[in-house]
Structure formats: structure tokens, C-alpha cells
Amino acid sequence: MKEPHLVLNQENLSEIASRIKVPSYKRDTLKKGIVHIGIGGFHRAHQAYYLQLLHEKLGADEWGICGIGLRENDRKIQQVLQDQDHLYSLIMRHPNGQISAQVVGSIIDFILGVYNPQAVIDRMASPDTKIVSLTITEGGYNYDPNTGDFNFSNRDVLHELQHPDDPRTVYGFLTAALKKRQDQGLPPFTILSCDNIEHNGDMTRKMLLAFAQKQNKELADWISKEVRFPNTMVDRITPVTTNEDVEYLKNSYGVLDAWPVSCEPFKQWIVEDKFSNGRPSLEKVGVQFVKDVSPYEKMKLRLLNAGHSVLGILGAIQGHDTIDDCMRDPIFQKFMRAFMDKEASPVLDAVPGIDLTEYKNSLEERFANPNLKDKVSRICSESSAKMPKFLIPTLLENLNSGGSIAFATMVLAAWCYYSDKALSINGMPIEVIDEQHEILNKAAKNTTSDTLSFIRLESIFGSLFESPRFVGAYSENISKIYADPDIRFHMQELLNDN
Ligand code: CS2
């Protein structure tokens, strides 16, 4: 590239336009109709991109996005986006090697709530705000998986219940902003969860109402009557940004973007059509609005996300670096498919308009995309929050129905080994990224004296340890894996027997 490199920002946009596709709509007249908490890679590859498509097509002025970070470690993304006038590049990596990249402009502002909670509350309470959407991760909902109830022992929650004007968690912010709207006679916003949780909207509603009940009964009643929480199914595989992504933009387009996002070409968003205060016409850009999202979300969580976890945990032990590496290993590919066919599919509901076999075939193709380089480490990260949502429900339902549990059980035993040793079979250390890592590690380490120690972690496994059938299968797997961690061998043996 001979021309000088150009920093990605609004001022350089017209010059950058000759190198890479840039937003064609006017950004400075966009209103902040959407406030989004959790501006990670996924939001930028998914929701913000759908909004970009809508702005391109219709000029949807009401629906610009204001990002919100509630944690200290959101400071970096805030700084990067601020320096780039909230522009960033999205790099789509196709399975055939083709790459398409474009600059996305639908995010127009960002507020870091850590030291300035009032600015966040004011933004959410502004008449312009119609939707507050969330990607706060599976673990971010402050939910006790044992009881299904709100976790009132969380320190930040205790603080904000005492000090409603100094919120710390998403619930404190939402109630403070809704209270302000109620006081000012403004209609509430819709709360739109975009996390990988079954009934994500219902769960957000239940948690928020439990919190609000403790804080202000009148407000809780208003929320219960007036605020809508559509359930959604969201999908686009979005690896963690790497330095190669940054270099790619620099070398191929001469664009300096400090934090681009790369993703697969596939995307899907299915949303229940119930909104408190209007919504963008996203059906014009491929979003499906339905009455009941449950069959779709269940299918996606239990096939795609669980399929990922199956490959991730076993792949980490085998020493595979990426999901496509796993898919190139025939035993991994067969194992994952057997899990989907024999365990996940039999306990799924019929999904309107979807042929499950085709869906699973398409997942295999997406996982095998050799250009995406989706790291096993990303998939394994926060497994303690993912397993109870992605894999364990399938296992429980098969225990109830007498279905196969062999594949899922091997994955859980392998997860114990992974949490204990953090080593691949070739002796390479595995970096375990999990908020619960210490607890997992401690429980897993006791496996040699108590085989069931790991699965006694009730906040993750519930009462699985009380199922004799599961305990039998699990113990057998633990003995085998601890005697010889050659995971591929055990996977092959299981495939032969099933
Ligand atoms: C992945 C998801 O985090 C995970 O374990 O399964 O991030 C997955 O890539 C997305 O949900 C795809 O939509």
C-alpha cells in the first residue's frame, strides 16, 4: 500500500472511502434511540451491523446506538471508540478464503458508567431512548442456577439497594433510569437481552422485578405492567480480535483501526415482536420477528453453543488451537455430530420452518470455516456460566427420558480434568479463563480422593450428583481420563460403542 496510512475517524472517512466501504448515511443526525450495555465484539458484529444495514437502506434516524460500559475494564473500548469517533471496521471471513471488510458507523457515542453513573442514568432516561439492549454475557444476570432466583448476596446489589442513586449492576442502572422516566411521565424503554440464555427476556424480567420489588414496590408494579422484555435468539460467530486483524486492515486498506472485529458471514436474529416504545423496522434487513422465540433459541443454544463447548473442552485437552482444527479431526467431527444427533436433537421441540438435519449440516460448515480461526480458548472461557445453559439441560432431559447421556457425560468428565490439570495431552499449559476458576480448580483437584467432587458444585451442576445413572457414567469416564488423558482415544471408543 503506497498511500499513507489513515487513522479511522470521521474526518478521514471520505478519504478512507476510496479504500474500504464506509457508512453512506449521515451519522451526525442520528438520535440515540438504542442504549446498549456491553459493547463487545459480538454486539459490534451483530446488532450494530444490523442497524448499519437499516441506516443504509432506510435512513433510520431515530435508531443510533449509544454504548455503555459498566466495568472498569470497559475503559479500553471506550477510549478506542472515542478516538475513532465510534467508528470501527468489521471483517467478514468467508469459508472460501474471501474477505470483505467495511466500516460500521451505527454506534455514535459511548459512556463509561464506572465513575459517572448519573450520565448513564440520564442517557437511559432521555426521551430519545426507546430500547436498552444488553450483551452482558451468560454470567452477567446475577441468577442463582440452583434456585432460579435473583442472587441478593451479591455485594454490588447490596450496595445499590442501599444507594439507588449509585448503581453498580445493570439492575441498579435500569431501575434508576426507569424511575426517572416514571417520575417524568415518559414511557418506559424496551429491555432487549441479546445473550445466549434460554428465555433471555423472561429471565431479565424476572431478575429485574425481583430487584425492583426490594427497592421500590410502586416502580416494580410499573415495570411489571409497562416494560416489555422480548426474548431473542442471536447468532454470529465472532472470534476474539487479534493483532492480525489490525494488521490486515493496515496492510490491505491502509486503515489504522485499533480494535476491529472479525466474524463469519452468517448472521441470524430472531426477536419476539413486543416492544414498549416502538422499534426499528429491522424486518427490512433480515431480522425475523416472531410470536414465540423459544424453539429457535433452544435449538441454537443446545446445538450451536453446546456443540462449541463439546469441541472446545475436548479440543483444549487434545491440544487443538481453533474450532476449525477440531473439525478437521474426524473423530472430533463425528463425536460432535453424534452428540447433536443422539443427545441434543431428541430433546428439542419442533422448530417452525427449520429442517434440523440441514441446520446441523450448516453448523458443521460454519465450525469448519478455516478462515475464522475461532480459538478454543474463547469457547472454553467462562464455561462455568455456559455449561449450565448450553449442555446440562440436554443431559438432564435425557436423564428424565431415558435417552443417551454418554457424549455429554464424557465432556463433563473432560471438563473436570481440564479444570484440574490445565494441560493438554502434549503437556502444553492451557490458560483457563473463568471467573469461577479457583472454585472449579479446587473441586477438580479433589477428584482423586472423591470422584464426584467436581460435580458436587451445585451452583453449576445442580443435583446431577444425585442421579445414580449419571454418577455411574461420570465415574467411569473420570477413571479412564485420569488413567490416560488421551482424549481422542476415549472419544473413538465411545463412538465405537454407540
Ligand atoms: C460460543 C458463542 O461463547 C461461546 O461459547 O458458543 O460465543 C457463539 O460463537 C455465538 O453464540 C454464536 O452466535
Side-chain angles (χ1 to χ4, degrees):
M1 165 112 340
K2 292 198 195 71
E3 299 118 297
H5 294 144
L6 288 170
V7 172
L8 179 57
N9 59 33
Q10 188 67 37
E11 197 188 335
N12 289 342
L13 212 51
S14 49
E15 212 175 325
I16 288 176
S18 63
R19 305 178 179 190
I20 184 171
K21 190 170 179 297
V22 301
S24 60
Y25 50 94
K26 269 172 75 71
R27 297 178 70 231
D28 53 1
T29 51
L30 290 183
K31 287 194 184 145
K32 296 165 193 170
I34 300 176
V35 170
H36 184 81
I37 306 183
I39 302 279
F42 180 75
H43 170 79
R44 294 198 284 150
H46 189 263
Q47 184 178 338
Y49 179 65
Y50 272 106
L51 264 307
Q52 159 115 327
L53 293 178
L54 189 69
H55 296 313
E56 298 278 7
K57 195 161 180 176
L58 291 185
D61 257 12
E62 268 176 284
W63 301 105
I65 300 171
C66 172
I68 303 284
L70 297 183
R71 298 164 316 168
E72 179 55 43
N73 56 7
D74 292 319
R75 188 175 292 282
K76 183 171 168 217
I77 185 73
Q78 187 235 356
Q79 196 57 55
V80 167
L81 286 179
Q82 186 178 308
D83 291 348
Q84 299 184 173
D85 300 317
H86 307 97
L87 294 162
Y88 64 94
S89 326
L90 186 64
I91 309 168
M92 289 174 219
R93 299 183 180 276
H94 299 252
N96 64 4
Q98 192 203 332
I99 301 179
S100 44
Q102 61 179 284
V103 173
V104 178
S106 51
I107 300 177
I108 47 172
D109 196 4
F110 190 104
I111 308 173
L112 187 67
V114 192
Y115 299 111
N116 195 357
Q118 195 56 44
V120 174
I121 297 169
D122 293 346
R123 170 48 46 211
M124 288 181 177
S126 150
D128 284 348
T129 303
K130 309 265 168 51
I131 295 175
V132 174
S133 51
L134 316 172
T135 43
I136 53 175
T137 78
E138 294 78 39
Y141 285 79
N142 196 47
Y143 152 94
D144 180 336
N146 250 339
T147 59
D149 293 335
F150 191 76
N151 171 16
F152 280 103
S153 59
N154 176 327
R155 284 232 225 124
D156 289 334
V157 166
L158 292 173
H159 171 89
E160 58 197 4
L161 280 173
Q162 299 287 322
H163 308 278
D165 51 350
D166 184 27
R168 300 215 169 142
T169 78
V170 66
Y171 300 108
F173 280 98
L174 289 171
T175 47
L178 284 166
K179 168 90 177 51
K180 191 163 170 196
R181 294 184 83 99
Q182 188 192 25
D183 290 349
Q184 294 182 347
L186 289 172
F189 40 72
T190 300
I191 301 180
L192 187 68
S193 163
C194 297
D195 281 296
N196 287 314
I197 297 178
E198 236 173 289
H199 314 309
N200 51 12
D202 298 345
M203 143 91 99
T204 313
R205 179 174 195 273
K206 182 175 169 190
M207 297 301 113
L208 184 67
L209 283 178
F211 177 85
Q213 284 288 354
K214 282 250 160 143
Q215 202 181 48
N216 176 337
K217 286 227 165 2
E218 199 193 317
L219 177 66
D221 287 347
W222 189 66
I223 296 175
S224 162
K225 276 201 214 93
E226 303 293 336
V227 181
R228 300 285 169 270
F229 299 76
N231 292 304
T232 65
M233 183 264 242
V234 293
D235 193 6
R236 182 167 234 182
I237 298 176
T238 309
V240 176
T241 303
T242 62
N243 213 22
E244 282 93 74
D245 296 324
V246 175
E247 288 297 309
Y248 168 76
L249 283 168
K250 182 169 151 197
N251 298 332
S252 305
Y253 305 95
V255 170
L256 301 177
D257 180 341
W259 203 336
V261 181
S262 94
C263 64
E264 62 172 340
F266 178 92
K267 62 180 185 335
Q268 190 170 28
W269 197 6
I270 309 184
V271 186
E272 282 174 3
D273 202 357
K274 46 177 191 187
F275 283 73
S276 327
N277 192 7
R279 65 159 172 85
S281 309
L282 286 162
E283 70 281 4
K284 302 264 164 47
V285 290
V287 175
Q288 263 172 278
F289 285 95
V290 298
K291 246 190 137 156
D292 177 12
V293 93
S294 356
Y296 304 95
E297 61 181 6
K298 199 161 167 184
M299 170 187 79
K300 191 257 171 175
L301 295 171
R302 294 185 182 197
L303 291 172
L304 186 151
N305 296 110
H308 257 164
S309 296
V310 167
L311 294 175
I313 295 292
L314 301 168
I317 298 178
Q318 183 60 36
H320 289 321
D321 185 38
T322 60
I323 292 298
D324 63 295
D325 288 344
C326 296
M327 290 300 284
R328 264 191 300 280
D329 183 330
I331 296 177
F332 274 70
Q333 181 267 327
K334 286 201 188 91
F335 188 98
M336 200 258 317
R337 186 67 191 230
F339 161 77
M340 286 184 174
D341 289 342
K342 296 182 179 182
E343 298 187 358
S345 307
V347 289
L348 284 180
D349 312 316
V351 194
I354 292 188
D355 175 322
L356 265 196
T357 305
E358 270 171 34
Y359 183 73
K360 288 183 276 191
N361 294 344
S362 77
L363 292 184
E364 289 196 328
E365 276 169 36
R366 291 168 62 196
F367 288 178
N369 182 341
N371 296 306
L372 207 53
K373 297 287 161 245
D374 193 17
K375 298 271 189 201
V376 157
S377 56
R378 178 184 82 86
I379 299 302
C380 295
S381 69
E382 307 308 333
S383 283
S384 61
K386 292 175 180 174
M387 291 293 186
K389 314 250 163 31
F390 301 168
L391 189 93
I392 295 174
T394 290
L395 184 59
L396 288 172
E397 285 178 36
N398 279 313
L399 278 172
N400 270 335
S401 66
S404 165
I405 58 162
F407 295 92
T409 304
M410 181 174 280
V411 176
L412 294 187
W415 184 31
C416 172
Y417 181 85
Y418 161 104
S419 306
D420 178 353
K421 311 283 181 198
L423 277 182
S424 69
I425 52 168
N426 38 31
M428 297 300 282
I430 299 172
E431 191 204 350
V432 181
I433 308 162
D434 200 308
E435 272 194 24
Q436 306 269 353
H437 179 48
E438 264 179 48
I439 298 173
L440 293 165
N441 179 253
K442 199 163 160 228
K445 285 237 167 303
N446 285 334
T447 299
T448 32
S449 55
D450 168 13
T451 315
L452 304 187
S453 160
F454 189 61
I455 55 158
R456 279 192 221 283
L457 290 172
E458 283 185 62
S459 63
I460 296 170
F461 300 100
S463 51
L464 259 182
F465 68 94
E466 285 172 357
S467 156
R469 181 166 168 233
F470 172 71
V471 164
Y474 177 80
S475 308
E476 204 179 306
N477 275 288
I478 287 285
S479 313
K480 285 189 200 160
I481 299 172
Y482 273 73
D484 175 4
D486 183 353
I487 197 72
R488 192 198 266 121
F489 173 80
H490 301 304
M491 291 163 73
Q492 175 73 73
E493 210 178 45
L494 193 66
L495 284 166
N496 293 343
D497 294 347
N498 285 270

